[in-house]
Every structure is written in structure tokens, then in C-alpha cells.
Amino acid sequence: MSNPIKDVPLAELAGVEKQAFRDAMAHLGSAVNIITTDGEAGRAGFTASAVCSVTDTPPTLLVCLNRSASVYPVFQQNQVLCVNTLADSHEALSNLFGGKTPMAQRFAAAQWVPMASGSPALTGALTSFDCRVSQVTQVGTHDVLFCEVIDILSNDSSHGLVYFDRRYHSLIRQLPQAR
Ligand SMILES: NC(=O)C1=CN([C@@H]2O[C@H](COP(=O)(O)OP(=O)(O)OC[C@H]3O[C@@H](n4cnc5c(N)ncnc54)[C@H](O)[C@@H]3O)[C@@H](O)[C@H]2O)C=CC1
Ligand SMILES: Cc1cc2nc3c(=O)[nH]c(=O)nc-3n(C[C@H](O)[C@H](O)[C@H](O)COP(=O)(O)O)c2cc1C
């Protein structure tokens, strides 16, 4: 059977404007994460919603990082990182790591403990995934970092944080039913 899109000359396909894409993406709720690294290029961190699970064999996440971000060269050189998934108390911290703030000021706003890779785990994060970058693919403005998970720290008591419709929302964890 013929593929109707494949048979249309590319020049005749309408395409989608960047703003329309962003407006549509604002409808996809996502977890909020602070991605950290430490190593020979120094310490750095940024907020990321473009994070997802790739495979459990070997356990692998992907993180999309804009190559124009100030932190980009640090991540490129260190090749290790920690994905810290934020709890509902971390909204202000997410904004600090979301750009423009000097790196020392970002890290001074919370407590951190080094994971095996040397990357900082955020105290109180829902989960911290310690990773080594196993593969990198460039797509448009971003690098897609494939990150093999080498250790995990979890906290099963905090409520979650979701970014949806350009705003933060708390994701309330159900408490176990009293008997
Ligand atoms: N993947 C990314 O690089 C993301 C970057 N951001 C940045 O955070 C700031 C605030 O974002 P919003 O309040 O959500 O408003 P916005 O209108 O800039 O973005 C709406 C949605 O579009 C997507 N998006 C935004 N910038 C993108 C990019 N450069 N590449 C791919 N997808 C992108 C995200 O899903 C975002 O939630 C902006 O500077 C934005 O660029 C936010 C979310 C994801
Ligand atoms: C909620 C939120 C989600 C974001 N998600 C991403 C992301 O997935 N990838 C990315 O490269 N930048 C993302 N950003 C933007 C980066 O956090 C920001 O560019 C980074 O802190 C570097 O900023 P700087 O160049 O001023 O240091 C996000 C920002 C916010 C507020």
C-alpha cells in the first residue's frame, strides 16, 4: 500500500512553525528535573523537562540539552551527570536552575551530596539517577544525551512537581489508607 505523505514532494508539505510547536508542547505535562554534573570541567546544573526513559537493559535515560546553554561545555567535557527529579517544594529551585543565575548562586540554594560519578545529588529530590553519558546525538539545536544509570537514590515521601501549561503544579501522592 502506498504511503500518502511519502509520495508528496517535501516542498509541498506545510511544516509547523516553532511557536505552534511550543504552544502544542505546553500541553504535555512533564516531570521537572535538575541535571547536575561535576568533574574536570567543574560543577554545573540546569533545569530540564526533556527527560525520559529509553530502556531498562541497560537502564538508560535520555536528556535533551540546548547547545547554546551556558552549561553545555561543562556537560560535554565531564561525560557524567545526575538527573534529580524535583519534589513539589522545589519550584523556586527549578527557576534558579532555569537560566541566567550564576552557577554558585544556583547551588547555594540547596544541599547536595556527591554520587559515585561525582555528580551532585539534590537532598530531598524524589529520585536521583547517577549516570555516565553513553552516547550523544545532535538533533537541531539540542544534543540528546543517552545516560546509563549507575546508581539511584530515592525518597518515597514527597509530593511530585509537574510542569504543564507553562506553570508548575503539585502532584499529590496518595497516603496509604488507614485501617
Ligand atoms: N527542551 C527544552 O529545551 C526546553 C526549554 N525550555 C525553556 O524554558 C523557558 C520557559 O519555557 P516555557 O515556559 O515552557 O515556555 P515556551 O513557550 O518557551 O515553551 C513551551 C514548551 O515548548 C517546549 N520547548 C520550549 N523551548 C524548547 C526548545 N528550545 N526546544 C524544544 N522544545 C522546547 C517545551 O516542552 C516547553 O514546555 C524557555 O526559555 C524555554 O526555551 C522549557 C522547556 C523545555
Ligand atoms: C521548566 C523548564 C524546563 C526546561 N527544560 C529544558 C530542557 O529540557 N532542556 C534544555 O536544554 N533546557 C531546558 N530549560 C532551560 C534551561 O534550564 C536553561 O537554558 C539552562 O539553565 C541554561 O541557562 P543559562 O544558559 O542561562 O545557564 C528548561 C527551563 C525550565 C524553566
Side-chain angles (χ1 to χ4, degrees):
M1 206 199 290
S2 76
N3 176 339
I5 295 283
K6 194 168 148 258
D7 293 342
V8 176
L10 267 183
E12 288 176 23
L13 290 174
V16 168
E17 295 294 335
K18 177 169 150 172
Q19 192 56 48
F21 175 72
R22 286 192 178 201
D23 289 347
M25 287 304 297
H27 296 156
L28 276 70
S30 54
V32 190
N33 311 273
I34 291 178
I35 317 297
T36 58
T37 186
D38 203 350
E40 55 185 41
R43 186 169 68 160
F46 71 104
T47 298
S49 55
V51 171
C52 84
S53 171
V54 177
T55 173
D56 64 1
T57 315
T60 304
L61 296 173
L62 69 74
V63 175
C64 300
L65 171 58
N66 198 318
R67 286 192 302 283
S68 69
S70 68
V71 296
Y72 176 74
V74 185
F75 279 86
Q76 195 186 27
Q77 198 176 329
N78 286 349
Q79 292 295 303
V80 292
L81 57 80
C82 182
V83 175
N84 296 282
T85 305
L86 301 185
D88 68 338
S89 58
H90 291 137
E91 190 174 325
L93 196 65
S94 174
N95 286 333
L96 267 187
F97 278 82
K100 311 285 183 281
T101 309
M103 207 49 67
Q105 207 176 316
R106 297 184 195 190
F107 280 95
Q111 291 188 308
W112 310 88
V113 288
M115 299 285 281
S117 75
S119 307
L122 169 65
T123 302
L126 281 186
T127 292
S128 296
F129 299 92
D130 194 27
C131 303
R132 71 171 187 90
V133 178
S134 54
Q135 210 174 311
V136 180
T137 302
Q138 287 196 356
V139 180
T141 53
H142 283 56
D143 272 11
V144 183
L145 311 178
F146 291 91
C147 306
E148 189 174 340
V149 179
I150 57 173
D151 198 8
I152 293 175
L153 279 181
S154 275
N155 146 22
D156 292 332
S157 60
S158 300
H159 297 303
L161 186 67
V162 166
Y163 196 66
F164 169 68
D165 203 21
R166 300 186 167 99
R167 292 178 49 208
Y168 296 96
H169 304 262
S170 293
L171 202 55
I172 303 304
R173 191 193 284 274
Q174 294 292 317
L175 296 171
Q177 296 286 332
R179 291 191 176 246

